[in-house]
């Protein structure tokens, strides 16, 4: 068998997500998109641009501003046999449909004794960094991970941006996908044939021996940058991309921590009650005796995100803060 | 009876008796439930439908077996009238695994896939968006089914009511909205919950065709429902049916009924849908005392059997606790 | 001008010029903002009100200084017309601590206690419930103030719209609802967001008095607002004013305007509220070219001064990051 | 000075909360209550029974089913100078108003640069244990504690049930009070003159040397029972009632853990992402080197709460589970 390097194509995260959506609609006749301004406007972050022309208004369904209404309608359509992919423009608006997500999507399978599954995919943009201020800069993916009955994905790479969608759509249960707004413009190359990806496992994005850096989504890249700098300073950090925030892949986390004996968690959620606390606690529960130092977190400061750039930056995790936290944990 | 001949078309003896039987089954079932509640066989919240039976009986008579139904926590009547066996409903009230939701749901969450019964929903207004989605899903698949959503007049104040009606109208979704206006939401009288108390008029804000019907008159309800179903099934979009009714019992088993006068309750009891319809059948000679007696004993036997069935049912093992939160891999 | 004499009562030269000036201030301020945005002096989202100035100018002219105002993210016009100094608004656009919200809010969150300006609210529909509460609070304290809430026609689809109108009507709260119907919610045209496109008719579902007015005609808006304010101030309950208008610019700075035709925009520009009113003032001899020239240069000076003020403003120190999350003990 | 034992009166938690509410209304003219069925019905859990007669419908304001609407109205009324105490019947319904809580109540002070505080109190019933099944058994207080800008209280005792209200109402910022439904019937005696309590500090409810049990709300009593049993087995547990979940009183927690060197957290939230994770992580961050064993959690299983008693019990923290966890942590 002759081996050829897989063809690589240049793309962006935005285009990768779009490719995943297009593939879903092309391959699965029951799939359709619905959400605010996904059609005629082309998507708030231009993700769905061009798709209305390709698939028509039935399958690229512009909705009114009615988050609870159309997310709930997605739940119903899923139970009726469709495969709805619902876009909640950003997670900032998702509080308006949280009742439908928690009390219906996440719960119906259980309440019905397993008779009805809800195969809905809900996509939302998440994260800060564009000076959108207090009401438009939430990072809620970790918070959503508290809810039993749903899966929570945080694609950080081009491959995941594209490939998680198909896996999610074929999951019989509700899957929430959080796309960090700072990633949409990220460019790179991707295997032209890149397809569905596994959503069950975290991935080591950078192997290392001295400390485990656990992160996901938009923070992955800051963390990898920090790891590169730290390497120059002689600290060999392992970087783990959690990918799925519910359920967490404990095995991969513990394997890393047992090896490095130190952990720093980087998470764009507000510190208190963030998913970083859950990860830290699981490490304590499962790998306490392996730890050589307290676990440390780099999270968002407990303040609604301020508008000015210098204050927004100060509120968010940064490469510098990650480096400082790691140096403290490894004692150098 | 207030109904005019044209809304009571072809009332055969058989059909009349089946309507009466349906109402009687609900009544006697729930009277038994009240008893079982005081015996602590049934726990949690128990909301009785007694007095409102004509609505479930009348509307269900107008549906096809594949139409989807969503109701509220006050849904025993709808569950029974939709064709779920009394045994399965009673076992659910007990929480036994022979129950319609395998015991997980209880009184407020009766589900049944075979009857396309998408649940008792206990969040007021929470069932409306999924109902729109069920209708949309059927329509997108070219199926002739419609979705029927039952809810109280209290739900009309919720934002989800508004969003759902607008979406259903915009999308011409095949949805029959049935508002069971029993004048109270727990202890809150209609004039305290709505600035416009003519509920059916609200539908015009969404350009949805609507009508109001005497919900104590099973024939009038069925006739209205048939009109509505025909309209929806022709693809003309949603329809809104307000049924004016009254609950004879307390809101739930924890309600001192401080908010309404005994005389008001008594006055409404004079319009008991079962007595009224039975009396009328006698007057026009379609049925006789012996029919009623036979029916009473058949129903009593069914109720007794359901209790025996529930009593004989089994408790789900605690080792199954985590079942049905997610769909097992490979099963869907 | 379409307005009839009776809705343009006592239009003194002074008042006419002040209306014109108010609109011009908004227009020139925002044109400058657009420029500053391309220079990256202003960041985040920027939503221009250009074309809609007659509404803010007309409504504010009908209010008393102590009336409360809540607007949306498209609120520069309301902020300026409500009496907040252009300096404070511009400094807020920059994120400087001399800004009206001390820089924390930016374009979408202009607040000012002295002007009773309760903010730009960036969650569509999110300002309506607090507006009802402001009205209720004033009423309970026996104060004569009212609350005015501005929102777009897109917000009408949200559940909070429905809940707020019903509550205001039930409680006879002194609230003036002003719907700025500019035909689009981002890229979603009215007929895609509402099944009933005559927005003002929706008020009748809540028994709220309403009217629709030409939002491109500042005198018509002021006259309608005066009628509305008088009604509300007399304690007759809320009032709903629909202003038909159009935004001349893109939704925000990231909008390719794929959803509407250039010709449509041009047609509406023919109805430019500033030009129209200015022309009319000339025709009836109330103002002359030299008045306009003087006004233009005064406004230009004010804009220039506001930019200088903002440029000279200072950045809040990062050490203050956690300020104003909670009220400092002993300060309230 | 002659000392007299303070007069003790018999009461229940329900009556204690009511006493707190009555006192608030008696002493603070700007205070009023609003919520579903608090007036004519007497309150879903009978907490406000009799208060409508005492204070009238303006101050005991029955609302329609419009959680977002009336919570938002409370926010507005607070900004208008009132002191609203809003009851969201149970936290299960609070998802419908979460947008108002997070994006307005918690955020307005910050967005406005400190100009507007929102002195609102929001009370909700919380918790499982009454076989109310999946949609009516949530414990969300720990989840809410993630939100900067609000305070979250969990009164567990008669004194706190009564006294936290006054302190909360006088707090200039939004305070959420979660009352566990299993406590309402709890009886006991209370100082007749019991009044406002401090809400800044956690309290040691039972001193001990061997292990720190950290808990709050309904779980406090299960934990104290467990501690009593453990004592008989020679394990001397310290029990800390956290009382306030945001902000957490780190000092009291760390003081205890530094002494006992072992911690078990008991929390009725679903395990993943519960407040127990935050507490555990803070202990790791602040007292890692004091720990002699991994921290352990006793939380609710990750399943929507099932209806049958044996499954509900199995899902929740219990005395037995607490005892087992403690024995494991102390290695006996
Ligand atoms: C969102 C929400 N808020 C509050 C409740 C508590 N609750 C249960 S039933 C009910 C009254 C509903 O009245 P209505 O819709 O008229 O139906 P009915 O009970 O009269 O059949 C209330 C307030 C709830 N279940 N859901
Ligand atoms: C709840 C919510 N959903 C979505 C958005 C994103 N969004 C911002 S403005 C807007 C359109 C609003 O249109 P409209 O209410 O008509 O006001 P306009 O912008 O036309 O003045 C949308 C969808 C939001 N801010 N809030
Ligand atoms: Mg009712
Ligand atoms: Mg608009």
């Amino acid at each position: 068998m002759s081996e050829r390097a897989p063809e690589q194509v240049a793309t962006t995260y935005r285009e990768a997500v779009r490719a995943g959506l297009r593939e879903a609609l092309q391959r699965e006749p029951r799939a359709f998109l619905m959400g605010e301004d996904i059609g005629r406007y082309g998507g708030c972050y231009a993700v769905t641009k061009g798709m209305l022309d390709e698939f028509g208004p039935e399958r690229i369904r512009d909705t009114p501003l009615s988050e609870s209404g159309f997310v709930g309608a997605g739940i119903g359509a899923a139970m009726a046999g469709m495969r709805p992919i619902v876009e909640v423009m950003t997670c900032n608006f998702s509080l308006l449909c949280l009742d439908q997500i928690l009390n219906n999507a996440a719960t119906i399978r259980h309440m019905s004794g397993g008779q009805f599954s809800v195969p809905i995919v809900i996509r939302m943009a998440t994260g800060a960094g564009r000076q959108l201020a207090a009401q438009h800069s939430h990072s809620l993916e970790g918070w959503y991970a508290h809810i039993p009955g749903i899966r929570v994905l945080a694609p950080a790479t081009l491959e995941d941006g594209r490939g998680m969608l198909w896996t999610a759509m074929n999951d019989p249960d509700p899957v929430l996908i959080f796309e960090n707004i700072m990633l949409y413009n990220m460019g790179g190359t991707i295997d032209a044939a890149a397809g569905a990806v596994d959503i069950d496992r975290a991935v080591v994005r950078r192997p290392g021996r001295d400390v485990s850096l656990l992160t996901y989504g938009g923070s992955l890249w800051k963390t990898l940058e920090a790891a590169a700098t730290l390497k120059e300073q002689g600290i060999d950090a392992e970087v783990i991309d959690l990918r799925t925030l519910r359920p967490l892949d404990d095995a991969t986390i513990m394997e890393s921590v047992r090896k490095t004996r130190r952990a720093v968690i980087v998470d764009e959620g507000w510190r208190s009650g963030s998913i970083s606390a859950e990860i830290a606690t699981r490490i304590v529960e499962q790998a306490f005796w392996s730890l050589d130092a307290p676990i440390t977190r780099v999270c968002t400061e407990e303040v609604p995100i301020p508008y000015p750039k210098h204050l927004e930056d100060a509120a968010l995790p940064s490469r510098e803060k990650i480096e400082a936290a790691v140096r403290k944990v490894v004692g150098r | 009876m207030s109904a005019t001949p044209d809304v009571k078309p072809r009332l055969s003896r058989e059909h009349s008796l089946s309507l009466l039987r349906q109402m009687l089954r609900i009544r006697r079932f729930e009277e038994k439930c009240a008893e079982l509640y005081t015996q602590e066989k049934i726990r949690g919240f128990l909301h009785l439908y007694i007095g409102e039976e004509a609505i479930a009986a009348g509307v269900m008579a107008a549906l096809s077996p594949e139409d989807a139904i969503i109701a509220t926590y006050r849904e025993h009547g709808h569950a029974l009238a939709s064709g779920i066996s009394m045994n399965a409903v009673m076992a659910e009230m007990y929480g036994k695994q022979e129950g319609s939701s395998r015991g997980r749901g209880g009184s407020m969450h009766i589900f049944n896939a075979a009857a396309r019964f998408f649940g008792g929903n206990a969040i007021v207004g929470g069932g409306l968006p999924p109902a729109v989605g069920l209708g949309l899903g059927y329509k997108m698949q070219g199926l002739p089914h419609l979705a029927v959503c039952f809810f109280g007049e209290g739900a009309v104040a919720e934002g989800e009511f508004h969003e759902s009606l607008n979406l259903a109208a915009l999308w011409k979704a095949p949805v029959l909205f049935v508002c069971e206006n029993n004048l109270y939401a727990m202890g809150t009288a209609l004039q305290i919950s709505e600035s416009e108390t003519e509920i059916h008029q609200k539908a015009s804000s969404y350009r949805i065709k609507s009508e109001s019907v005497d919900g104590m008159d099973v024939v009038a309800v069925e006739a209205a429902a048939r009109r509505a179903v025909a309209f929806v099934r022709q693809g003309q979009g949603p329809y809104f049916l307000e049924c004016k009714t009254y609950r004879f019992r307390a809101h739930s088993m924890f309600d001192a009924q401080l908010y309404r006068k005994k005389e008001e309750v008594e006055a409404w009891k004079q319009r008991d849908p079962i007595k009224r319809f039975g009396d009328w059948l006698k007057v026009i000679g379609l049925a006789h005392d012996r029919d009623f007696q036979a029916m009473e004993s058949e129903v009593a036997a069914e109720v007794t059997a359901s209790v025996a069935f529930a009593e004989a049912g089994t408790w789900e093992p605690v080792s199954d606790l985590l079942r049905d939160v997610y769909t097992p891999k490979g099963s869907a």
Side-chain angles (χ1 to χ4, degrees), chain A residues 36-37 44 64-67 88-90 92-94 96 136:
Chain A
E36 291 159 14
D37 293 302
C44 176
L65 280 142
S66 304
E67 285 79 3
V88 177
M89 193 181 278
T90 78
N92 307 290
F93 318 138
S94 71
L96 291 165
H136 273 60

Side-chain angles (χ1 to χ4, degrees), chain A residues 68-69 80 110 113 115 150 173, chain B residues 100 104 141 160 163 326-327:
Chain A
S68 201
H110 178 265
Q115 289 176 90
I150 62 172
D173 300 314
Chain B
S100 62
R104 292 271 166 150
Q141 293 170 85
E160 294 192 324
E163 297 186 4
Y326 297 95
T327 308

